[in-house]
Amino acid sequence: MRQAVFCQCFGLLGQALFTSNVVLLYLLALGADEAKTLFYVVLPNILLALLGAPLAHVADRVGIKRMGNIGILVNTTGIILLAAAGSLASPLGREICSAAGIIVYGIGYAAFASVWFSLLQPIIPEAVRGRFFGLLRLSWQGVSFGAAALIAYLLSLWNELAMFQVIIAATAGLILARGVFYRAIPEMVSPPRERTGMMTALVQLGGQREYAAFGSYIFLLTLFTFICPSLFALVEKTALNLSQSTVVLLANAGMVGAIMGFWLGGLAVDRFGTKYVFLACHLAYGLVLGFFVLRGLFPQAALMAVLGTAHLLFGMIMSASEIAITSESMALSPARHHTLALALLISARHASMFMSGFLSSGALKAGFLMKEWRWRALVLCDVDAIIAACAVMVVILVATLGLVPSIFRKTDLGAV
């Protein structure tokens, strides 16, 4: 369990390059246009959604540790290619090299993520599962936060292309070091003797009513919550005209809330069970989103406090919800095709993340939302309308909690 924590603290620094906008700024410095840059930044998540299930199916045959080791090597290779792009003189060569690096990184990311929870499932005792995953995510989130702060400091000293390359190359070395801790984690699940085709396995998993219902539930929940922090930032930048540094500061409040939520969510899952955590998160999501939209009810002097509180609370709720989803996923994963089952749930979440951003972007581009509208004495914008819709849908989704089996009974780990 300790090795797993160290493994993720090193390994997820690669993903932190994307979430902290380092890759975005690097691609812009290479000369990529904004549209391509936004696509490249989300490409690893798209690849995970598409490749997670097939790679997990292969891992059930060749061994999950072997697939994870391959993922680490491919992951590192992709980051090295990305760093090397800045050394090319041709703009086309830079774009091809950076795109290839991100694609290779995404494939390695998908390979490792497709087997990670399957490797941990027999190792983590069910009684402490919530607290363990809370500690695990609190640890790597804290390390990523510290790394982002260090990178910001380095870039403030030397904001040149070479500095980006040094940072990305150093991250590649740290990702490779993940293998040392990964090797120490025992593989307690042997590849099944039965050789089932992927389509047959998918049909069998789809026939597991509780598993399929929970997959549908987390897809819907993610669809209406994942994009909300980005929508907050859009309102703050375009409607409230806050400075870039202020928007980043508010986003950091969300990261602090996430760190707190991982720990508190882990304790809550172990003490009260996922049933009450899911229920509390649904209601809290609706309240916080409504609180953000109704910010105009508060005095102008309190605006920053209101926005900061909204970011902080939303980060806490999202983190607690993720801990509950992870714990429930492990409890519901069938013993048969368990690696594929867990990877499918991960793929469903990442597909929903993509859809969340795609639908929100489409709604804004369609132009049917008013750029400025009023509700009583409040002056709101088109993005506020999307946030309000998300708040309503999340509260309505309380009705879908019936899809979560633990609402009615305690699930049996590995039950089919």
Side-chain angles (χ1 to χ4, degrees), residues 58-144:
V58 174
D60 265 339
R61 300 191 174 200
V62 303
I64 56 179
K65 280 289 289 288
R66 182 177 299 175
M67 180 61 73
N69 283 321
I70 292 173
I72 293 173
L73 293 176
V74 175
N75 220 331
T76 306
T77 302
I79 294 294
I80 292 174
L81 281 174
L82 182 61
S87 300
L88 301 178
S90 167
L92 179 61
R94 287 182 171 186
E95 181 175 349
I96 292 175
C97 187
S98 58
I102 292 174
I103 291 172
V104 172
Y105 169 81
I107 294 172
Y109 179 55
F112 188 89
S114 67
V115 299
W116 175 245
F117 289 114
S118 179
L119 178 67
L120 295 186
Q121 185 176 22
I123 296 175
I124 312 303
E126 188 173 4
V128 298
R129 190 171 292 151
R131 278 169 287 177
F132 170 77
F133 282 108
L135 174 63
L136 175 67
R137 294 186 178 183
L138 185 151
S139 299
W140 68 252
Q141 184 82 13
V143 170
S144 297

Side-chain angles (χ1 to χ4, degrees), residues 65 86 143 159 162 196 254 275 311 313 351 380 397 400:
K65 280 289 289 288
V143 170
N159 189 14
T196 306
K275 166 185 175 180
H311 277 273
L313 293 178
L380 303 169
L397 284 177
T400 66

Side-chain angles (χ1 to χ4, degrees), residues 134-200:
L135 174 63
L136 175 67
R137 294 186 178 183
L138 185 151
S139 299
W140 68 252
Q141 184 82 13
V143 170
S144 297
F145 184 78
L150 176 60
I151 290 171
Y153 174 71
L154 293 175
L155 291 177
S156 69
L157 297 178
W158 188 19
N159 189 14
E160 300 290 340
L161 187 61
M163 177 55 72
F164 282 105
Q165 290 182 275
V166 169
I167 291 170
I168 295 173
T171 303
L174 294 173
I175 295 174
L176 189 61
R178 165 196 255 183
V180 176
F181 304 104
Y182 186 73
R183 191 176 297 113
I185 302 174
E187 183 175 355
M188 300 176 66
V189 178
S190 301
R193 296 180 180 179
E194 180 185 5
R195 299 298 187 184
T196 306
M198 182 173 173
M199 291 306 300
T200 302

Side-chain angles (χ1 to χ4, degrees), residues 63-385:
I64 56 179
K65 280 289 289 288
R66 182 177 299 175
M67 180 61 73
N69 283 321
I70 292 173
I72 293 173
L73 293 176
V74 175
N75 220 331
T76 306
T77 302
I79 294 294
I80 292 174
L81 281 174
L82 182 61
S87 300
L88 301 178
S90 167
L92 179 61
R94 287 182 171 186
E95 181 175 349
I96 292 175
C97 187
S98 58
I102 292 174
I103 291 172
V104 172
Y105 169 81
I107 294 172
Y109 179 55
F112 188 89
S114 67
V115 299
W116 175 245
F117 289 114
S118 179
L119 178 67
L120 295 186
Q121 185 176 22
I123 296 175
I124 312 303
E126 188 173 4
V128 298
R129 190 171 292 151
R131 278 169 287 177
F132 170 77
F133 282 108
L135 174 63
L136 175 67
R137 294 186 178 183
L138 185 151
S139 299
W140 68 252
Q141 184 82 13
V143 170
S144 297
F145 184 78
L150 176 60
I151 290 171
Y153 174 71
L154 293 175
L155 291 177
S156 69
L157 297 178
W158 188 19
N159 189 14
E160 300 290 340
L161 187 61
M163 177 55 72
F164 282 105
Q165 290 182 275
V166 169
I167 291 170
I168 295 173
T171 303
L174 294 173
I175 295 174
L176 189 61
R178 165 196 255 183
V180 176
F181 304 104
Y182 186 73
R183 191 176 297 113
I185 302 174
E187 183 175 355
M188 300 176 66
V189 178
S190 301
R193 296 180 180 179
E194 180 185 5
R195 299 298 187 184
T196 306
M198 182 173 173
M199 291 306 300
T200 302
L202 290 175
V203 171
Q204 291 173 350
L205 288 173
Q208 302 296 323
R209 183 182 60 83
E210 295 176 344
Y211 170 82
F214 182 66
S216 301
Y217 167 76
I218 62 174
F219 181 90
L220 292 172
L221 180 62
T222 304
L223 183 65
F224 295 109
T225 57
F226 173 75
I227 199 62
C228 289
S230 297
L231 297 178
F232 288 176
L234 276 178
V235 171
E236 291 155 3
K237 182 60 181 173
T238 61
L240 301 179
N241 297 316
L242 301 182
S243 66
Q244 291 184 359
S245 60
T246 302
V247 174
V248 172
L249 180 64
L250 291 170
N252 287 341
M255 293 183 67
V256 173
I259 293 174
M260 297 168 61
F262 284 138
W263 179 248
L264 295 175
L267 293 176
V269 166
D270 285 341
R271 182 168 183 178
F272 304 109
T274 56
K275 166 185 175 180
Y276 295 105
V277 174
F278 280 129
L279 181 59
C281 285
H282 271 275
L283 299 177
Y285 270 133
L287 289 173
V288 173
L289 292 176
F291 178 70
F292 183 90
V293 172
L294 300 177
R295 60 190 176 275
L297 296 177
F298 297 88
Q300 184 64 28
L303 177 62
M304 289 302 299
V306 171
L307 297 178
T309 301
H311 277 273
L312 181 75
L313 293 178
F314 195 88
M316 290 178 62
I317 299 163
M318 182 170 279
S319 298
S321 177
E322 288 181 4
I323 296 297
I325 287 173
T326 300
S327 300
E328 192 75 12
S329 297
M330 285 195 165
L332 284 174
S333 175
R336 192 179 189 185
H337 313 305
H338 72 284
T339 304
L340 177 60
L342 287 169
L344 271 177
L345 294 178
I346 295 173
S347 295
R349 288 204 69 202
H350 280 78
S352 184
M353 290 175 185
F354 171 73
M355 287 299 297
S356 181
F358 178 77
L359 292 176
S360 298
S361 175
L364 292 174
K365 289 182 179 180
F368 62 84
L369 297 174
M370 296 179 63
K371 287 293 184 181
E372 183 176 306
W373 54 287
R374 294 178 179 273
W375 184 75
R376 297 184 181 274
L378 301 179
V379 179
L380 303 169
C381 65
D382 51 355
V383 183
D384 283 313

